[in-house]
Amino acid sequence: MEVINFADTPSVMSRYMRELRDVNIQGDRMRFRTNIDRIGQLMAYEISKRISYENVTIKTPLAECVCLQPSEKVVIATILRAGLPFHHGFLQIFDNAENAFVSAYRKYHEKGDSFDVLVEYMAAPSIEGKTLILVDPMLATGTSMELGYRALLRKGNPAKVHVASVIASERAVEYVRDRFPDDKTTLWCAAIDPEVNAHSYIVPGLGDAGDLAYGEKEDNA
């Protein structure tokens, strides 16, 4: 499985990442959401270079012209709720893509920091033979991403899989590498951080992306 780490090449994405991580800036929810959206757009553009194209002939006001258009059907799938601004960024580029949504959340046990990841809702088209772009801004352990992917497989077997995150932990990268099909999966990350803490948050990370984007939530009962 190929792993693309955008932090290896300085670009304008580096600025967006700095603002996402900075506690003095990330309190501005609109700016936080916008920066995740921007990173989604930049990633989507890079992924667009990996899909197949075909020639089509169109007519301009002056003559016929041969142009390229994508020949692959794309489905953008998002893990709710933190993934919504990230999803929107991808949809800005792949504006005619189909869309899928999966709810996956941590249900903590009564004592300690242990939890189970539960999937309770999914809305998705067929993904059979299509290019699946699975997006979630924070890839801490990889469990939610895997469960979301397994749930989507009930809708068919995709030809290609692109997994995209804003920040992934090294642990999650290895988890995805071990559990996703190696021959057709590419993992895209704006940054890869070294560890997760006892609460399974990425360190240094940026905190809870869902809360920073949309406000704090009550713990699941």
Side-chain angles (χ1 to χ4, degrees), residues 4-6 13 16-17 20-21 32-41 43 76-90 101-102 104 106 133-142 144-145 162-169 172-173 176 187-193 196 200-214:
I4 309 295
N5 183 4
F6 286 90
M13 192 183 291
Y16 304 148
M17 288 297 298
L20 285 174
R21 291 184 189 267
F32 187 87
R33 293 192 301 269
T34 298
N35 281 333
I36 290 182
D37 187 312
R38 288 166 167 168
I39 292 171
Q41 291 185 48
M43 280 193 185
I76 305 170
T78 296
I79 308 297
L80 298 175
R81 68 179 167 149
L84 290 174
F86 203 31
H87 183 106
H88 184 263
F90 275 83
F101 301 92
V102 179
R106 296 178 178 183
I133 304 177
L134 189 54
V135 308
D136 190 9
M138 305 302 289
L139 192 62
T141 66
S144 296
M145 190 70 83
H162 295 280
V163 177
S165 69
V166 175
I167 304 177
S169 71
V173 170
V176 170
L187 175 60
W188 305 76
C189 307
I192 299 175
D193 285 359
V196 294
S200 293
Y201 280 98
I202 301 171
V203 179
L206 53 75
D208 189 304
D211 287 358
L212 289 165
Y214 297 111

Side-chain angles (χ1 to χ4, degrees), residues 86-157:
F86 203 31
H87 183 106
H88 184 263
F90 275 83
L91 196 56
Q92 292 284 90
I93 304 304
F94 294 107
D95 59 324
N96 60 349
E98 296 178 282
N99 298 270
F101 301 92
V102 179
S103 75
Y105 71 91
R106 296 178 178 183
K107 185 176 179 63
Y108 285 88
H109 301 153
E110 289 186 8
K111 296 181 180 180
D113 296 317
S114 62
F115 58 86
D116 297 316
V117 176
L118 303 182
V119 174
E120 292 188 343
Y121 170 84
M122 181 178 72
S126 169
I127 62 172
E128 182 66 35
K130 299 176 183 176
T131 295
L132 177 65
I133 304 177
L134 189 54
V135 308
D136 190 9
M138 305 302 289
L139 192 62
T141 66
T143 305
S144 296
M145 190 70 83
E146 182 200 10
L147 291 178
Y149 174 65
R150 299 297 174 194
L152 287 162
L153 289 180
R154 299 201 296 266
K155 299 295 184 178
N157 184 31

